[in-house]
């Protein structure tokens, strides 16, 4: 199933609160001729836009093509949480990759937060950036790990922005009976993801990059110069960057074996009174919980509860997303039972077996960046910059990610979905114990 078409209308943003609240979106236009550039980037999400911005800033002739619109993919639909570290927590990462690599990956993740904040600042991107993410435990027994993780980051990494919160404080901060403690990280942040994507696009255009919307790459002819055949014209380039993440499909089979698309869903309630909103989230921070199928939520600028969660085992979105997400939401906030849901939408992200991003060089002049495993707001922005640096000759950081071994997902693409179902069912069952 092609996820570029499966759940959406061509060239239209989904019916999300983000699309409804973004304001006027410039119509950028599609590819109108065969063109020649130094670098062609496929995908106008954070990965592709950041790559194009950084290449254009270094004087390169770069274009980005997107089958739909700027920020149409996960970048315009996500939970807006800019987390610290990698998708795996730091102690887990040390076990998996060894202390030295884990430390390097921690610092790169720190760089990703700094990069996002500085891009917002430099390009005056008005995207409602606010500090703070709570990681809330749905089991009291996870508190020991949270306490250790916070201490480990404080003492071993000199990272003082995270601290443990006990059950009482957690319940004061998050008005839910479902949580028993966790951590708060005040250097992590949250924002309006589509406004951020559009801000990156404006910055990239301002730096001289070309962007073509509604231009779909159908096939690629590799070689010293690369030809990208689209549904309109073609692009010839010295370098190509795949920045398609969950929407890659079979455009690049090597990468497709390493990353797997999954869908995730969000609802937005009607605006809440100030008193009700602060009874749910006291300090306007974002929250992510400890479930395998994570619940994540925050308040919008107009005080709606934006709640993400829910398990989906196929590639088609559920017919009633609001009903689908309201199940996990009401387990966390039963007090929202009578509150109207104004918006419900879904999006596709990409995971890897290791849950670490997958960077690769498919050929000497073809790079791919994807597989952020739900942790892409900062990492995709950084990945785009590192791909740009690597094309410009500064390869070191790109190669660190490239050196992380990425296992293939078992089974061919046709077998993957059922396997995922089994894996997720197993973990979902554990969640309920
Ligand atoms: C519901 C949801 C919630 C999430 N919450 C968070 C969160 O809170 N924090 C966080 O860090 N991460 C979160 N993520 C993950 C994060 O959104 C992604 O990791 C990140 O946006 C990936 O950016 P990207 O640019 O690589 O991909 P995308 O933004 O998905 O962009 C890929 C683009 O490639 C284009 N494309 C694909 N194939 C082609 C083709 N053949 N031709 C032309 N164009 C093509 C698509 O149209 C798309 O616009 C979430 C994701 C989802 C779906």
């Amino acid at each position: 199933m092609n996820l570029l078409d499966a759940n959406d209308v061509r060239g239209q943003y989904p019916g999300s609160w983000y699309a409804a609240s973004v304001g006027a979106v410039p119509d950028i236009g599609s590819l109108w001729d065969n063109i020649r550039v130094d670098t062609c980037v496929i995908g106008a999400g954070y990965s592709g836009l950041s790559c194009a911005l950084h290449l254009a800033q270094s004087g390169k002739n770069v274009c980005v093509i997107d089958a739909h619109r700027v920020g149409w993919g996960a970048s315009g639909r996500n939970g807006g949480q800019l987390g610290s570290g990698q998708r795996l927590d730091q102690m887990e990462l040390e076990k998996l990759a060894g202390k030295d690599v884990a430390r390097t990956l921690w610092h790169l993740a720190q760089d990703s937060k700094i990069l996002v904040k500085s891009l917002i600042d430099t390009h005056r991107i008005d995207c409602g950036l606010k500090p703070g993410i709570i990681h809330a435990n749905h089991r009291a027994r996870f508190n020991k790990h949270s306490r250790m993780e916070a201490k480990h980051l404080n003492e071993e990494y000199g990272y003082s922005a995270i601290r443990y919160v006990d059950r009482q404080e957690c319940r004061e901060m998050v008005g839910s009976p479902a949580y028993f403690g966790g951590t708060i990280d005040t250097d992590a942040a949250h924002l309006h993801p589509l406004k951020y994507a559009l801000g990156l696009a404006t910055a990239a255009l301002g730096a001289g990059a070309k962007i073509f919307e509604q231009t779909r790459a159908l096939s690629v002819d590799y070689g010293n110069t690369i030809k990208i055949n689209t549904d309109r014209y073609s692009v010839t380039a010295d370098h190509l960057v795949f920045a398609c993440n969950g929407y890659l499909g079979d455009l690049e089979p090597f990468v497709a074996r390493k990353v797997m698309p999954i869908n995730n869903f969000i609802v937005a309630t009607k605006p809440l009174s100030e008193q009700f909103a602060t009874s749910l989230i006291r300090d306007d921070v974002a929250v992510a919980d400890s479930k395998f199928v994570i619940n994540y939520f925050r308040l919008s600028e107009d005080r709606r509860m934006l709640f993400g969660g829910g398990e989906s085992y196929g590639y088609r979105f559920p017919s009633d997303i609001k009903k689908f997400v309201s199940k996990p939401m009401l387990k966390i906030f039963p007090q929202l039972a009578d509150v109207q849901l104004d918006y419900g939408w879904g999006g596709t992200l990409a995971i890897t077996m290791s849950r670490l991003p997958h960077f690769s060089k498919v050929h000497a002049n073809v790079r791919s960046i994807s597989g952020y495993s739900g942790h892409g707001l900062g990492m995709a922005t950084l990945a785009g910059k590192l791909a740009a640096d690597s094309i410009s000759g500064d390869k070191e950081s790109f190669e660190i990610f490239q050196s992380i071994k990425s296992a293939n997902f078992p089974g061919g693409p046709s077998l993957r979905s059922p396997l995922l179902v089994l894996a997720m069912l197993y973990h979902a069952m554990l969640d309920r114990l």
Side-chain angles (χ1 to χ4, degrees):
M1 178 179 299
N2 195 316
L3 287 160
L4 275 172
D5 303 314
N7 299 296
D8 289 272
V9 179
R10 182 170 180 161
Q12 281 184 27
Y13 289 106
S16 70
W17 174 75
Y18 298 135
S21 58
V22 78
V25 180
D27 208 345
I28 291 177
S30 11
L31 188 62
W32 46 269
D33 201 354
N34 297 324
I35 60 165
R36 174 81 172 83
V37 290
D38 298 336
T39 300
C40 175
V41 180
I42 307 177
Y46 305 143
S47 301
L49 294 167
S50 167
C51 182
L53 168 63
H54 289 97
L55 281 171
Q57 281 174 336
S58 64
K60 299 287 193 310
N61 180 8
V62 53
C63 82
V64 186
I65 59 172
D66 198 288
H68 294 276
R69 309 287 310 269
V70 163
W72 172 91
S75 299
R77 308 177 185 221
N78 63 61
Q81 300 203 10
L82 176 61
S84 299
Q86 302 290 337
R87 173 69 179 78
L88 301 176
D89 75 36
Q90 202 56 26
M91 292 192 303
E92 228 178 317
L93 193 54
E94 286 175 7
K95 274 189 218 141
L96 184 90
K99 285 209 170 196
D100 290 347
V101 175
R103 189 168 286 276
T104 305
L105 293 175
W106 168 264
H107 288 299
L108 286 164
Q110 285 292 86
D111 289 350
S112 77
K113 277 189 301 181
I114 294 168
L115 178 64
V116 171
K117 291 175 187 177
S118 81
L119 287 169
I120 290 170
D121 195 35
T122 308
H123 301 288
R124 300 201 169 89
I125 303 176
D126 176 14
C127 59
L129 180 71
K130 288 176 189 161
I133 296 182
I134 292 175
H135 282 104
N137 293 328
H138 74 290
R139 296 283 178 260
R141 67 175 186 272
F142 297 163
N143 284 1
K144 186 175 166 207
H145 182 84
S146 295
R147 202 184 281 116
M148 279 164 57
E149 177 74 4
K151 189 167 181 280
H152 190 63
L153 290 175
N154 297 159
E155 292 175 3
E156 300 289 322
Y157 288 80
Y159 184 66
S160 56
I162 191 166
R163 69 179 175 83
Y164 170 70
V165 291
D166 64 15
R167 176 181 175 146
Q168 188 189 335
E169 191 181 7
C170 188
R171 290 196 176 174
E172 283 163 14
M173 293 196 287
V174 183
S176 167
Y179 298 127
F180 295 86
T183 56
I184 177 149
D185 182 343
T186 51
D187 191 51
H190 59 108
L191 51 71
H192 188 303
L194 182 56
K195 286 187 182 173
Y196 173 58
L198 289 166
L200 285 183
T202 306
L205 288 167
K210 300 178 189 77
I211 301 178
F212 301 108
E213 296 187 320
Q214 299 203 50
T215 302
R216 179 166 172 168
L218 299 177
S219 63
V220 177
D221 301 331
Y222 295 119
N224 287 338
T225 52
I226 305 152
K227 191 170 166 225
I228 298 97
N229 306 300
T230 83
D231 53 355
R232 294 178 182 272
Y233 294 90
S234 66
V235 181
T236 306
D238 298 321
H239 296 273
L240 169 64
V241 178
F242 286 103
C244 306
N245 208 40
Y247 297 97
L248 177 75
D250 54 7
L251 187 62
E252 208 327 294
F254 171 78
V255 178
R257 285 195 286 272
K258 309 276 181 194
V259 299
M260 188 164 89
I262 57 168
N263 293 333
N264 204 274
F265 306 95
I266 302 183
V267 292
T269 64
K270 69 172 194 184
L272 308 174
S273 71
E274 192 170 347
Q275 197 185 11
F276 189 24
T278 51
S279 76
L280 302 175
I281 302 179
R282 190 188 64 190
D283 302 323
D284 206 5
V285 296
V287 183
D289 77 14
S290 54
K291 294 204 119 191
F292 178 75
V293 181
I294 296 172
N295 294 307
Y296 53 96
F297 44 92
R298 64 193 186 97
L299 296 168
S300 66
E301 288 135 90
D302 59 353
R303 283 198 308 272
R304 298 167 190 274
M305 171 58 73
L306 303 177
F307 191 100
E311 305 150 25
S312 157
Y313 302 129
Y315 280 131
R316 285 248 178 243
F317 288 178
S319 56
D320 188 345
I321 293 176
K322 291 179 192 167
K323 191 169 159 202
F324 183 78
V325 180
S326 70
K327 279 187 196 148
M329 184 180 80
L330 294 181
K331 282 195 186 137
I332 305 301
F333 293 121
Q335 57 273 54
L336 286 172
D338 296 325
V339 175
Q340 181 184 310
L341 298 179
D342 281 350
Y343 302 91
W345 67 95
T348 303
L349 58 140
I351 58 170
T352 61
M353 289 283 278
S354 65
R355 301 293 166 101
L356 292 170
H358 175 68
F359 287 31
S360 55
K361 267 177 128 178
V362 180
H363 294 279
N365 52 358
V366 180
R367 288 159 180 79
S368 172
I369 42 176
S370 62
Y372 313 104
S373 304
H375 199 68
L377 205 160
M379 286 313 299
T381 309
L382 181 75
K385 178 178 185 304
L386 300 186
D389 290 349
S390 145
I391 289 169
S392 302
D394 177 1
K395 299 173 182 157
E396 195 184 339
S397 298
F398 188 92
E399 285 179 353
I400 290 168
F401 281 106
Q402 200 188 331
S403 69
I404 298 170
K405 288 203 172 46
S406 261
N408 289 345
F409 277 95
S414 57
L415 278 176
R416 275 190 208 166
S417 187
L419 272 174
L420 178 71
V421 173
L422 285 176
M424 289 187 82
L425 277 173
Y426 174 67
H427 285 278
M429 183 194 76
L430 291 182
D431 273 352
R432 290 189 197 106
L433 293 178

